Amino acid sequence: MPELPEVETTRLALSLHAEGGTLTAVSVRTRQLRWPVPTTALQKLRGQALLSTGRRGKYLLLHFEEAVLIIHLGMSGRLRILKKPTPPTKHDHLDFVFDDRLTVRYQDPRKFGSVHLTGRHWQKHRLLYQLGPEPNDLKAGDLKKRAQGRKVAIKNFLMDSRMIAGIGNIYATESLFAAGIHPMRPVGRLSEARFVRLVKAIRIVLNKAIRAGGTTLKDFLQPGGETGYFAVKLLVYGREGLPCSKCKTPLKNIRLAGRSTVYCPQCQR
DNA sequence: CTTTACACCTGACTGC
DNA sequence: TGCAGTCAGGTGTAAA
């Protein structure tokens, strides 16, 4: 999916193009994504202005006058901004029309994404209330505390949204490479210094990706249709067998919690 | 409590 | 050309 940088890129585009606009129509063509689409409730958004946009982990937040629309893009979800309406195709599940002239289209072949409506206490939503801190607010010391006594591999820990919000397979992989930490290392016995390095690495990797407009893989495009161009900067993800960019050792691929995990056996310990 | 396995869904790709 | 198997950016839930 869209991991945090892709969601942030999407948020930015929405804020640029749709913020301040009034929602004039909502079409629901698919009633069941990962969770049931609140078809009826969505119609109540008509006539409301989009006041601001936000993000919590990988959840997009659209703040309307009387409600908050929460959107998750799952593995293959994408929001596109269309200035001219084109006929919806197979996986175009929802349209949000602003001021009768701008369509925000939700497309998601795998349907692992979801949309929810909630009130102003969105933080209490059952899917959001236990999210960990945003990567930019992360404190190495807090993270170390939460890791105390746990045996999980550091990579699985990074991808646990209750520990940190918004880190998925790509950026967990990249951050560990940047920090020089072996993805299988038990998290409970990592030194303070390594947590400090890791937290810095996470911030740098994510912020670089956001600046580049997100990673383009199979099906993520920026909402306007431009491709992100961060893919060229991925140093380990998807590079199994290729030489490590630092030491030329062939990168290895292992499976952790069912997810492919690429690392340098020389640089990451 | 922690940890793991599975579920959901579609499409792309590989090998026979 | 077809078909079976594998893999893919996520995450809630059940089971161990």
Side-chain angles (χ1 to χ4, degrees):
Chain A
M1 122 166 158
E3 292 185 36
L4 189 151
E6 291 74 24
V7 178
E8 182 61 19
T9 300
T10 302
R11 186 199 66 74
L12 209 69
L14 283 177
S15 132
L16 245 44
H17 292 100
E19 214 168 275
T22 296
L23 193 69
T24 45
V26 180
S27 354
V28 176
R29 287 177 290 269
T30 303
R31 303 176 71 96
Q32 182 74 35
L33 295 170
R34 166 138 207 210
W35 303 103
V37 176
T39 312
T40 315
L42 283 175
Q43 296 306 325
K44 294 187 192 151
L45 282 178
R46 283 182 303 175
Q48 294 189 37
L50 176 60
L51 302 178
S52 64
T53 62
R55 180 188 55 71
R56 182 74 178 90
K58 298 172 191 164
Y59 291 90
L60 255 177
L61 306 170
L62 304 189
H63 299 273
F64 286 89
E65 291 166 272
E66 307 287 338
V68 179
L69 177 63
I70 302 174
I71 301 179
H72 194 287
L73 300 174
M75 289 274 258
S76 55
R78 182 188 154 190
L79 288 179
R80 286 194 304 152
I81 295 174
L82 306 170
K83 302 204 167 163
K84 299 208 170 119
T86 57
T89 57
K90 202 172 177 188
H91 303 300
D92 295 339
H93 307 304
L94 302 166
D95 280 349
F96 299 92
V97 182
F98 289 87
D99 301 314
D100 294 319
R101 53 183 182 74
L102 186 92
T103 300
V104 174
R105 177 164 287 172
Y106 177 89
Q107 180 189 66
D108 185 1
R110 292 178 74 179
K111 295 190 275 196
F112 287 170
S114 55
V115 301
H116 314 264
L117 259 187
T118 184
R120 62 177 149 280
H121 300 295
W122 56 269
Q123 321 208 27
K124 295 186 178 159
H125 190 277
R126 70 176 192 93
L127 299 179
L128 276 67
Y129 80 100
Q130 38 182 348
L131 288 176
E134 289 294 316
N136 273 329
D137 304 333
L138 257 196
K139 297 276 188 302
D142 294 345
L143 204 58
K144 188 174 191 313
K145 253 181 216 145
R146 311 191 67 174
Q148 277 300 332
R150 297 190 54 181
K151 293 175 182 168
V152 269
I154 178 67
K155 176 169 181 260
N156 297 343
F157 183 81
L158 289 185
M159 291 178 67
D160 182 341
S161 64
R162 292 165 306 180
M163 300 303 124
I164 312 169
I167 300 186
N169 201 34
I170 294 180
Y171 296 106
T173 300
E174 292 294 318
S175 301
L176 286 168
F177 176 74
I181 299 171
H182 194 294
M184 283 180 69
R185 214 146 248 240
V187 76
R189 296 192 286 108
L190 270 190
S191 69
E192 172 87 28
R194 300 199 122 204
F195 271 106
V196 171
R197 277 199 78 176
L198 182 55
V199 166
K200 281 185 188 159
I202 290 170
R203 270 199 215 130
I204 291 171
V205 166
L206 289 177
N207 288 326
K208 257 191 205 165
I210 291 169
R211 266 181 272 125
T215 301
T216 297
L217 289 174
K218 288 185 190 64
D219 43 25
F220 183 79
L221 293 173
Q222 292 188 53
E226 313 88 355
T227 57
Y229 45 89
F230 186 69
V232 296
K233 294 182 190 163
L234 294 178
L235 298 182
V236 276
Y237 182 88
R239 298 179 54 83
E240 172 188 7
L242 295 172
C244 167
S245 56
K246 290 184 196 159
C247 76
K248 310 300 176 203
T249 304
L251 299 175
K252 276 195 178 175
N253 189 352
I254 52 175
R255 219 146 242 288
L256 282 183
R259 315 299 297 275
S260 92
T261 306
V262 184
Y263 69 101
C264 173
Q266 180 69 35
C267 301
Q268 294 175 256
R269 306 253 167 202

